[in-house]
Amino acid sequence: MELDAKIPAGPLEEKWDRHRFDLKLVNPANKRKFEIIVVGTGLAGGAASASLAEMGYNVKTFCIQDSPRRAHSIAAQGGINAAKNYPNDGDSIRRLFYDTIKGGDFRAREGNVHRLAQVSNLIIDHCVAQGIPFAREYGGLLANRSFGGAQVSRTFYARGQTGQQLLLGAYSSLMRQVAAGRVTMFPRREMLDLVLVGGQARGIVVRNLITGEIERHAAHAVVLATGGYANVFYLSTNGMACNVTASWRAYKKGAGFANPCFTQIHPTCIPVHGDYQSKLTLMSESLRNDGRVWVPKQGGDSRRPEEIPEDERDYYLERIYPSFGNLAPRDISSRAAKLMCDQGKGVGPTGRAVYLDFAESIQRLGKAEIEARYGNLFQMYEKIVAQDPYKTPMMIYPAAHYAMGGLWVDYNLMSTIPGLFVLGEANFSDHGANRLGASALMQGLGDGYFIIPYTIGGYLAGTRFSEVNESHPAFQEAEAEAAAQVERLLKIKGKRTVQDFHRELGHILWEYCGMGRNDAGLTKARELVAGLKGEFWENVTVPGSEKDFNQSLENAGRVADFLEFADIIIADALARRESCGCHFNEAFQTEDHEARRDDENMCHVAVWEYAGVGKAPIFNKEPLDFEFVKLATRSYK
């Protein structure tokens, strides 16, 4: 597998501008001759569809939900980063670039990350022009707040609904193009396969989730913006429909899968409260601006939090990481919370929680100010936990949140399959081993609004295309394979539900390939997953018919893919002979139990290549060269 990242030469600040100039262009009249498929309507997919259609391309857009507005981007809460430096506190494009590289534990490409920092300011201008109701200061200027991993305030926000407001902006732009006839919208479709013709991505096969019909759709290029795979852990902050299927089917057609074991663990989640819970609820990282994290100093202290005096509380983030305190990055904050609970200092019924306390900030700022900043988040917490966080500290614990890994892409956001572009969380490219808070929305909109419109044009203008339509044998073959998979699932007639298998898979991965890992546990996990996969294909029960609305069938296909995908997650974790980000292998730690990288041997992107049914995947490496940043021990103390 050839892994040419196509990073432009020259000074860091000039790479993107030079590359845009060097890319071939498609003239306006010729744009109307091209069909582009976009799968996914979150911030990346919605922005890409709207932008490409407005440029004149014919776009077919697919979403798994009943409306593009229900894409999981809507769940993002805290904000979106940009290097505007409105507070005049020392921010710059260079600083945002460096914070992102350092936050990702030096496991991301310099070129991609600097480009992201460059376009961040354009995103804010564009969203303001769309009418996004960002918070503003008294005088009318856009407000900023702090987020983990930065010592400047660069996060723009709309209370705790930033993702929802940004998605509505992208959705409005998308639907304008639908009304203009330049985007054809296909809701309630699930991508089941990618179609290659002559080695190029030329279309997809989807299942209509309402009628059960399998459909074929041809195009000149395919854009995947299908989000992340954290639901492989079963309990995660993701919406229930989030899955790995589109990316996994592309992987099995030849797309490299990069860093699959890199999953972000978010430190600020409502803890697990029952064996039959189906998902977890995120509390925005923005809460750590004014909330203080603590546990009792004495393990096993079962008193109510208000009964524990100040001198018997351990504000452990402030103690261990005084420079960043409660705004330490997500991976470090998550590991610290786990350490406290492992030491017996956890709180709540399960002992797997820590406190996030707002008493000091309420006293300092007043309840009205805290309500103005976080009111909807406090309401959400109270509805779920039945406790008033204005009076009692929130209980939080880390949870699987964001997929750091994803399909490998080059600087043009194209995968190892020509014509298959991958945007947003579905690719691996910009965050390394740990994503800084408020950077997901930045990447999604940057990819969709400001990067793919240039790079896909360069591909289309420089590629020869044969005539391909839905009757091509490659489409017939892909449809037949998809139908056979559906038929196979329905024929098993076992005794265990799909959800039961998914729950057990998630428990295995969280226990052995979560925040803490060791070789023995990973080896055991691989054996357990293989056994579970074998039982799934013999004993799962999938009621109903394929010619109908059948959510059990939908979920069965996704869990079947998760079971296969879990194996390369574990293989990747075993191959990663270091600790970085939140991926803590117990064999690689410093004297004070911090993650220890191995820059001499592990400074690379791990890329896995499909080798065929029953064969071990092929391991490839893309070396990471740091020309503009000095590799250093990552410290937030």
Side-chain angles (χ1 to χ4, degrees):
M1 176 176 282
E2 183 180 352
L3 298 174
D4 180 4
K6 296 184 173 64
I7 305 296
L12 186 65
E13 293 78 10
E14 297 177 14
K15 288 181 184 293
W16 177 229
D17 291 336
R18 286 186 177 188
H19 189 65
R20 285 189 298 169
F21 181 78
D22 290 340
L23 284 168
K24 294 182 178 180
L25 300 176
V26 181
N27 80 51
N30 285 341
K31 286 187 174 77
R32 295 191 293 271
K33 300 176 182 178
F34 289 109
E35 296 270 354
I36 300 173
I37 285 172
V38 179
V39 187
T41 57
L43 292 183
S49 295
S51 300
L52 294 171
E54 191 154 351
M55 293 171 73
Y57 295 108
N58 299 299
V59 180
K60 293 181 178 180
T61 301
F62 298 79
C63 70
I64 203 169
Q65 302 87 0
D66 58 349
S67 165
R69 289 175 298 145
R70 294 188 184 273
H72 188 59
S73 298
I74 203 168
Q77 297 169 342
I80 177 172
N81 287 331
K84 286 287 193 181
N85 194 32
Y86 286 167
N88 198 29
D89 57 357
D91 202 8
S92 63
I93 289 173
R94 182 79 180 204
R95 188 173 297 277
L96 175 54
F97 157 72
Y98 180 77
D99 284 349
T100 305
I101 288 282
K102 178 185 175 183
D105 219 348
F106 302 92
R107 291 296 176 261
R109 292 189 196 127
E110 287 182 329
N112 287 69
V113 175
H114 192 273
R115 176 176 64 184
L116 179 63
Q118 278 181 275
V119 303
S120 68
N121 292 338
L122 302 175
I123 296 168
I124 301 304
D125 294 340
H126 185 76
C127 291
V128 168
Q130 286 180 325
I132 304 302
F134 287 123
R136 294 179 180 267
E137 304 289 359
Y138 180 77
L141 298 177
L142 295 182
N144 287 116
R145 59 187 176 200
S146 300
F147 253 65
Q151 290 179 307
V152 297
S153 295
R154 63 162 67 100
T155 304
F156 296 78
Y157 62 98
R159 265 187 124 186
Q161 306 171 352
T162 314
Q164 178 178 350
Q165 299 303 328
L166 293 173
L167 185 63
L168 288 172
Y171 169 76
S172 298
S173 298
L174 169 61
M175 296 312 291
R176 177 172 170 264
Q177 297 305 315
V178 171
R182 289 189 285 269
V183 172
T184 305
M185 192 69 228
F186 295 89
R188 302 297 286 166
R189 301 312 201 275
E190 180 164 27
M191 177 178 153
L192 297 183
D193 210 350
L194 177 73
V195 179
L196 305 188
V197 177
Q200 298 172 334
R202 294 302 305 269
I204 60 174
V205 168
V206 302
R207 180 173 181 267
N208 184 318
L209 298 180
I210 302 299
T211 67
E213 181 183 359
I214 294 178
E215 303 171 352
R216 312 172 188 177
H217 297 273
H220 295 92
V222 176
V223 176
L224 290 189
T226 49
Y229 52 77
N231 270 354
V232 71
F233 289 91
Y234 184 67
L235 288 181
S236 81
T237 65
N238 285 194
M240 296 296 288
C242 295
N243 62 80
V244 78
T245 290
S247 294
W248 187 246
R249 305 293 170 86
Y251 161 78
K252 294 177 82 169
K253 284 296 178 73
F257 212 115
N259 296 337
C261 83
F262 282 179
T263 308
Q264 175 155 83
I265 309 296
H266 198 294
T268 317
C269 184
I270 297 178
V272 176
H273 61 256
D275 291 339
Y276 290 93
Q277 193 171 346
S278 60
K279 79 174 298 293
L280 297 172
T281 302
L282 179 68
M283 289 284 101
S284 170
E285 181 172 316
S286 64
L287 294 169
R288 293 198 283 146
N289 273 284
D290 292 301
R292 300 179 72 194
V293 180
W294 65 275
V295 292
K297 287 183 177 179
Q298 186 63 41
D301 192 334
S302 60
R303 288 177 292 176
R304 294 172 57 83
E306 56 268 27
E307 296 172 352
I308 301 175
E310 279 289 315
D311 61 356
E312 295 181 35
R313 300 179 178 188
D314 181 7
Y315 294 92
Y316 60 89
L317 288 177
E318 298 171 31
R319 170 175 58 83
I320 302 172
Y321 308 103
S323 293
F324 282 74
N326 296 298
L327 288 172
R330 290 177 175 179
D331 59 326
I332 286 172
S333 301
S334 294
R335 284 206 313 274
K338 180 180 185 296
L339 179 63
M340 293 299 111
C341 294
D342 289 346
Q343 292 176 353
K345 298 178 182 179
V347 301
T350 65
R352 307 305 292 181
V354 299
Y355 288 127
L356 182 61
D357 195 336
F358 291 85
E360 186 274 336
S361 59
I362 290 173
Q363 184 177 5
R364 174 170 47 89
L365 299 170
K367 180 181 176 181
E369 179 63 24
I370 296 300
E371 188 173 11
R373 295 179 183 183
Y374 313 111
N376 62 307
L377 297 170
F378 277 47
Q379 291 169 6
M380 185 164 60
Y381 182 88
E382 185 171 9
K383 285 183 178 180
I384 293 170
V385 182
Q387 291 182 356
D388 183 354
Y390 292 105
K391 299 176 181 178
T392 304
M394 289 182 179
M395 286 188 292
I396 57 168
Y397 192 69
H401 176 55
Y402 183 92
M404 306 304 308
L407 293 181
W408 184 91
V409 293
D410 62 16
Y411 193 69
N412 294 317
L413 303 183
M414 190 162 73
S415 72
T416 53
I417 297 174
L420 176 65
F421 294 82
V422 190
L423 313 188
E425 190 178 358
N427 76 35
F428 86 102
S429 65
D430 290 7
H431 306 296
N434 174 66
R435 178 175 64 76
L436 293 184
S439 288
L441 308 186
M442 176 174 61
Q443 186 202 352
L445 292 180
D447 286 356
Y449 283 137
F450 296 107
I451 298 172
I452 195 64
Y454 287 96
T455 61
I456 203 169
Y459 168 74
L460 295 172
T463 304
R464 295 176 64 89
F465 295 96
S466 58
E467 283 293 325
V468 171
N469 58 37
E470 286 82 358
S471 63
H472 190 281
F475 281 88
Q476 297 173 12
E477 183 180 340
E479 180 180 343
E481 289 177 2
Q485 168 94 330
V486 169
E487 184 180 4
R488 184 184 175 195
L489 287 166
L490 289 168
K491 280 184 175 179
I492 297 171
K493 306 294 184 184
K495 295 182 178 180
R496 285 186 68 180
T497 64
V498 173
Q499 187 179 38
D500 197 31
F501 280 102
H502 194 181
R503 186 186 293 112
E504 184 173 343
L505 173 65
H507 176 76
I508 293 168
L509 287 178
W510 182 253
E511 185 70 21
Y512 298 110
C513 196
M515 284 189 286
R517 307 168 180 179
N518 57 58
D519 289 357
L522 290 168
T523 302
K524 180 180 179 180
R526 207 167 187 188
E527 295 171 356
L528 291 171
V529 168
L532 190 65
K533 176 185 169 185
E535 185 185 354
F536 176 87
W537 287 106
E538 294 177 357
N539 197 31
V540 73
T541 179
V542 183
S545 163
E546 77 277 15
K547 297 297 184 182
D548 202 354
F549 176 65
N550 188 340
Q551 289 186 302
S552 293
L553 178 59
E554 294 173 34
N555 292 331
R558 296 167 195 166
V559 172
D561 290 332
F562 276 144
L563 284 163
E564 292 184 1
F565 176 54
D567 185 67
I568 70 161
I569 291 180
I570 300 166
D572 191 47
L574 281 164
R576 180 63 62 175
R577 310 307 296 162
E578 64 175 351
S579 294
C580 59
C582 207
H583 315 99
F584 191 78
N585 188 318
E586 295 167 5
F588 305 97
Q589 55 183 301
T590 64
E591 291 181 359
D592 53 353
H593 307 296
E594 298 287 352
R596 179 165 59 83
R597 294 196 322 265
D598 181 355
D599 292 333
E600 184 176 347
N601 299 301
M602 292 287 129
C603 199
H604 61 252
V605 179
V607 186
W608 297 84
E609 178 183 358
Y610 185 63
V613 178
K615 297 181 180 178
I618 301 167
F619 181 47
N620 302 273
K621 297 178 183 179
E622 179 206 335
L624 289 171
D625 298 317
F626 289 92
E627 183 182 355
F628 303 96
V629 169
K630 182 181 178 182
L631 286 165
T633 299
R634 184 167 170 248
S635 175
Y636 291 91
K637 295 184 176 182

